[in-house]
Amino acid sequence: MRRALIFLASPHFFAPNFFIFIYAKRISTPQIPLFIRPQGFFQTNPKVASQLYATVQQWVKILPINHLWDLFCGVGGFGLHCAKALQDQGKPVTLTGIEISAAAIESATQSAQKLALNNVTFASLDAAQFALKDRQQTPELVIVNPPRRGIGKDLAEFLNQLNIPYLIYSSCNAESMVKDFAYLTHYQLHRVQLFDMFPHTTHYETVTLLIRK
């Protein structure tokens, strides 16, 4: 049974500093503190989110990665889980997380400090604009968890141009994700898993691992 524990630093639901402390009992993942503030994005179902993050963490642990981007990173759930697992293996991993919400970036930075992770940077920027402009260091892995509209043609085609071996794409809108896959012509689907993130609705979360052809 996987669990998600919620600790409130204030009795008010929208307190400035409350966090969700996620761990997966059946999947061996480190305990990752995720802080949430007003206007900061987080998955609506913490229990299923813990399974989602743990699954991606397991996928990434076996990949040869030294540098990764976490685009549309929210409070850093994907990137922090991956960076922690890789650094625990002794790998000199660098993580760059990008999210337009300043509140979410503040939360992600706080989590990284709590975990004492090295070489982790979070910045409040537009994810697509960052990726299109930052060519200083090409990562081995890019994680994207975009809004329902998807990443769009420009970012998808830019990712095609970079020599990035692996992409992880998580989405709550399979239709926009499939459209983006049509643009990601240099990649093929390697793994896919669905999560019932929104019980009793027709919506769900899909996470995929794509490998460069």
Side-chain angles (χ1 to χ4, degrees):
M1 176 180 178
R2 298 180 177 90
R3 301 176 181 175
L5 303 182
I6 300 179
F7 297 89
L8 300 183
S10 164
H12 303 290
F13 183 73
F14 288 108
N17 295 291
F18 75 87
F19 65 93
I20 294 180
F21 198 60
I22 292 180
Y23 69 95
K25 186 175 181 181
R26 290 186 181 174
I27 301 178
S28 180
T29 61
Q31 294 181 345
I32 306 294
L34 296 176
F35 297 85
I36 305 174
R37 292 174 172 81
Q39 301 180 4
F41 172 79
F42 188 77
Q43 299 288 351
T44 59
N45 189 326
K47 180 178 180 180
V48 178
S50 69
Q51 301 169 23
L52 174 68
Y53 294 142
T55 296
V56 170
Q57 187 184 58
Q58 294 300 309
W59 290 357
V60 169
K61 282 172 67 174
I62 62 174
L63 301 179
I65 294 170
N66 292 313
H67 182 44
L68 65 113
W69 289 352
D70 186 2
L71 304 183
F72 313 95
C73 69
V75 299
F78 283 111
L80 289 168
H81 276 80
C82 294
K84 181 69 164 64
L86 292 168
Q87 289 191 11
D88 283 350
Q89 292 177 339
K91 297 179 180 179
V93 174
T94 300
L95 165 64
T96 303
I98 303 297
E99 165 65 42
I100 199 166
S101 167
I105 288 301
E106 187 177 354
S107 297
T109 301
Q110 186 176 1
S111 294
Q113 292 171 348
K114 283 281 185 181
L115 292 166
L117 293 175
N118 299 314
N119 303 317
V120 172
T121 302
F122 289 100
S124 177
L125 299 168
D126 179 87
Q129 291 182 6
F130 162 80
L132 292 170
K133 292 180 180 179
D134 191 332
R135 297 171 180 259
Q136 295 181 359
Q137 184 178 5
T138 301
E140 290 86 19
L141 168 67
V142 173
I143 302 170
V144 295
N145 183 27
R148 290 186 60 82
R149 67 176 182 271
I151 64 174
K153 183 178 180 180
D154 290 346
L155 179 53
E157 291 184 344
F158 173 75
L159 293 174
N160 282 330
Q161 296 172 16
L162 296 180
N163 190 27
I164 301 171
Y166 307 102
L167 297 178
I168 286 179
Y169 192 131
S170 184
S171 176
C172 61
N173 185 352
E175 291 184 3
S176 63
M177 182 175 64
V178 169
K179 290 180 181 178
D180 287 337
F181 284 176
Y183 300 134
L184 291 166
T185 54
H186 292 193
Y187 291 87
Q188 59 187 4
L189 186 62
H190 181 65
R191 286 187 172 183
V192 59
Q193 186 163 335
L194 272 63
F195 293 86
D196 190 13
M197 188 71 73
F198 317 99
H200 310 297
T201 75
T202 59
H203 301 285
Y204 49 88
E205 187 82 11
T206 306
V207 65
T208 61
L209 171 62
L210 295 92
I211 297 180
R212 193 169 183 85
K213 296 178 181 178

